[in-house]
Amino acid sequence: MKTQKLETKASQAQLDHRETLYKLFKDTPIPTDQLLMHLGLYMRSSALAKILFVNELYELIKDVPGSIMEFGCWLGQNIILFENLRAINEPFNQNRRVIGFDTFGGYASLSAVDGDSEVITGEGYALPANYPDYLKELIAYHESNNILSHISKHQIVQGDVVKTFPQFLKDNPGEMVALAYFDLAVYEPSKVCFQAIRERLVPGSVLLMDEYNFKEYPGATIAFREVFGDTGYKIKKSRYMTDRAIVIID
Ligand SMILES: C[S@@+](CC[C@H](N)C(=O)[O-])C[C@H]1O[C@@H](n2cnc3c(N)ncnc32)[C@H](O)[C@@H]1O
């Protein structure tokens, strides 16, 4: 699969060093069944931190009713991790749905406040046309492998969230939100989603801000401030991804 190379803050030495790992992975002598059970062999500390971070979020909402949503799910790793954390932590909770939103074609709309990083103005994050179907097949596989597999508990919603999320809420008037992972980075879609989601949050609901106080992408922080102000929630850093902000609704 070809995707455009994403902007990185890694140094050239770090990038060169990663090539060694890519080669070791590509040339692995381990058969696929064993490889999939031992992926930690190839996981850099930054990739491991991302998984620990997703678990940190799940721990925060274990006692909070409602669904898990990701706005800007891209390849869908978090969606798959949430499905499997659900299966591990609360296998009989059929009401913990996992829903991912993305255009799967990259950024749809930009506002003046969003800056001009090439990642969001260019083809960054655009995926091949068949990727949403691939992701749906993958999550269906994981669900079928877990308990209560006959009850569908996930949804992948393709399109611009400015339209798809209000429509989703209309179509699902009883859907409440325990955890909303915001990774859209830009102003307008973030603002539309923050406004729409407010009435579906409960005390203890968690909003994850992937880009908070982020110099290159100020849009999401501005939208958050405009909708939520500075009261009615607590905010803290993630323990594992220390530049991510975790908002807990009072
Ligand atoms: C930073 S990436 C998400 C990365 C992902 N959360 C992860 O942790 O791997 C941002 C995603 O937001 C999506 N996106 C941007 N604007 C959008 C919009 N208006 N509607 C739906 N998705 C959008 C992009 O397509 C992109 O996949």
Side-chain angles (χ1 to χ4, degrees), residues 6-249:
L6 293 174
E7 196 176 54
T8 172
K9 288 183 176 164
S11 68
Q12 192 54 49
Q14 282 174 309
L15 293 176
D16 294 345
H17 200 232
R18 278 177 209 171
E19 291 298 328
T20 309
L21 181 64
Y22 302 155
K23 183 164 180 351
L24 284 166
F25 183 70
K26 220 168 77 203
D27 297 343
T28 184
I30 304 171
T32 305
D33 58 338
Q34 289 299 330
L35 183 61
L36 287 175
M37 281 305 286
H38 296 87
L39 283 176
L41 281 168
Y42 301 97
M43 205 175 280
R44 286 186 289 119
S45 52
S46 54
L48 177 58
K50 279 191 95 172
I51 292 178
L52 292 170
F53 161 59
V54 171
N55 187 55
E56 177 186 16
L57 296 176
Y58 206 101
E59 287 292 320
L60 287 172
I61 55 115
K62 259 167 57 180
D63 297 330
V64 182
S67 296
I68 297 174
M69 298 181 180
E70 183 173 20
F71 298 89
C73 64
W74 194 40
L75 295 175
Q77 170 164 275
N78 294 340
I79 296 295
I80 303 287
L81 291 173
F82 284 132
E83 161 57 23
N84 284 327
L85 286 168
R86 186 201 59 72
I88 292 166
N89 287 292
E90 34 186 0
F92 296 106
N93 186 357
Q94 58 176 304
N95 289 336
R96 183 77 86 194
R97 280 175 288 282
V98 179
I99 302 142
F101 296 86
D102 209 296
T103 60
F104 296 102
Y107 282 84
S109 49
L110 292 183
S111 310
V113 293
D114 287 320
D116 59 359
S117 157
E118 275 213 359
V119 175
I120 51 181
T121 53
E123 295 278 288
Y125 295 106
L127 293 168
N130 60 353
Y131 194 81
D133 287 338
Y134 178 77
L135 178 57
K136 285 176 196 167
E137 207 177 321
L138 203 50
I139 192 167
Y141 165 77
H142 286 286
E143 187 167 63
S144 73
N145 202 37
N146 292 331
I147 288 176
L148 286 190
S149 60
H150 59 292
I151 300 172
S152 171
K153 297 173 289 308
H154 67 266
Q155 197 172 336
I156 298 295
V157 183
Q158 183 174 7
D160 184 347
V161 287
V162 168
K163 294 200 181 99
T164 58
F165 186 49
Q167 187 60 48
F168 175 89
L169 293 178
K170 249 186 227 152
D171 296 342
N172 298 278
E175 195 90 28
M176 301 301 287
V177 181
L179 169 61
Y181 189 122
F182 281 96
D183 199 2
L184 296 164
V186 293
Y187 176 77
E188 195 208 352
S190 300
K191 183 151 183 186
V192 168
C193 292
F194 288 145
Q195 282 169 328
I197 210 168
R198 275 195 90 158
E199 61 164 28
R200 303 299 177 96
L201 301 175
V202 298
S205 289
V206 170
L207 304 182
L208 184 280
M209 298 278 298
D210 208 279
E211 294 87 12
Y212 188 80
N213 192 33
F214 207 104
K215 200 167 171 41
E216 288 93 332
Y217 315 119
T221 308
I222 295 169
F224 177 80
R225 226 172 39 218
E226 287 176 0
V227 176
F228 288 95
D230 58 6
T231 56
Y233 60 86
K234 292 179 187 53
I235 188 162
K236 63 176 187 173
K237 293 188 307 119
S238 158
R239 180 172 167 202
Y240 296 101
M241 300 290 286
T242 50
D243 58 354
R244 309 298 206 270
I246 299 172
V247 173
I248 303 174
I249 302 296

